Amino acid sequence: MNRPAEPLGAEPTHHQAPPPPPRADDDWVLSPPAQPQQPPQPPAPQGPQSWTAYIGPDRDYFMAMMRRSGPEAAGLNLPAYAPPKQLPLQGNQVSIGRRRHSTGEAPDIDLSVPPEDPGVSHQHAVLVQQPDGSWAVVDQNSTNGTTVNGGEEPVQPYVPIQLQDGDRVHVGAWTTITVRRG
């Protein structure tokens, strides 16, 4: 039988009256049963671990790109120095590209700051957080493509590529973005 909900804190109207308290002359009164022991609960799962992107020029990637490129790449030089950059991966996606000076639109990982990587498109790729907290890279149909872990062939545009801890995402002429968990 369904009963209407009772207001919180109200005395229940459908329970039996509590038993009378034990009398003082009852020497055989039993103690109420102990509360049943609950089995130990496993620890609550931790939230997704944090991930960080480490961004910088990569000599090996640059040399491989130069071997594959045509004569238009002859004037490219690997920067002599680039300060190390790192960015915590936060939110649902992190954009990779170069700032549009005409509109001021800037990606999360802006490769237009010195030393600017001329091989990076304005909207080159996106790191996308997965439901399990890991990340994938999606090339945005960039001019020069995106490769992962030194691959020879660029990944297919608009297809998420699952990343593991330590994977290297290569964009432009010399930039490598290494993703690290923790």
Side-chain angles (χ1 to χ4, degrees):
M1 171 165 127
N2 288 335
R3 299 177 194 261
E6 296 170 355
L8 292 177
E11 287 295 317
T13 58
H14 57 277
H15 292 119
Q16 293 179 335
R23 296 185 331 216
D25 61 342
D26 282 343
D27 58 355
W28 56 272
V29 173
L30 295 174
S31 300
Q35 292 291 343
Q37 287 272 338
Q38 294 292 327
Q41 298 294 319
Q46 299 292 323
Q49 287 188 327
S50 63
W51 287 70
T52 303
Y54 296 89
I55 305 123
D58 179 333
R59 177 174 295 285
D60 292 337
Y61 170 62
F62 174 71
M63 297 308 289
M65 282 296 295
M66 293 303 288
R67 285 190 295 275
R68 289 194 301 259
S69 297
E72 69 278 359
L76 292 177
N77 294 304
L78 183 69
Y81 174 75
K85 298 181 215 173
Q86 66 183 53
L87 176 75
L89 299 181
Q90 299 174 332
N92 293 327
Q93 65 181 27
V94 175
S95 57
I96 303 167
R98 288 186 301 127
R99 172 184 306 273
R100 287 187 188 277
H101 295 289
S102 61
T103 64
E105 179 185 341
D108 299 306
I109 297 176
D110 185 2
L111 299 172
S112 67
V113 296
E116 180 174 359
D117 187 330
V120 173
S121 297
H122 290 287
Q123 295 179 356
H124 197 100
V126 178
L127 297 171
V128 180
Q129 190 173 39
Q130 303 300 290
D132 66 357
S134 66
W135 290 82
V137 63
V138 180
D139 183 86
Q140 299 293 291
N141 201 23
S142 62
T143 302
N144 294 311
T146 301
T147 59
V148 177
N149 294 329
E152 289 287 321
E153 291 298 317
V155 300
Q156 186 176 350
Y158 307 115
V159 176
I161 304 298
Q162 182 69 39
L163 298 173
Q164 305 296 321
D165 182 29
D167 277 353
R168 296 164 296 131
V169 176
H170 310 288
V171 297
W174 58 67
T175 302
T176 293
I177 301 165
T178 304
V179 294
R180 290 275 180 204
R181 180 178 26 223

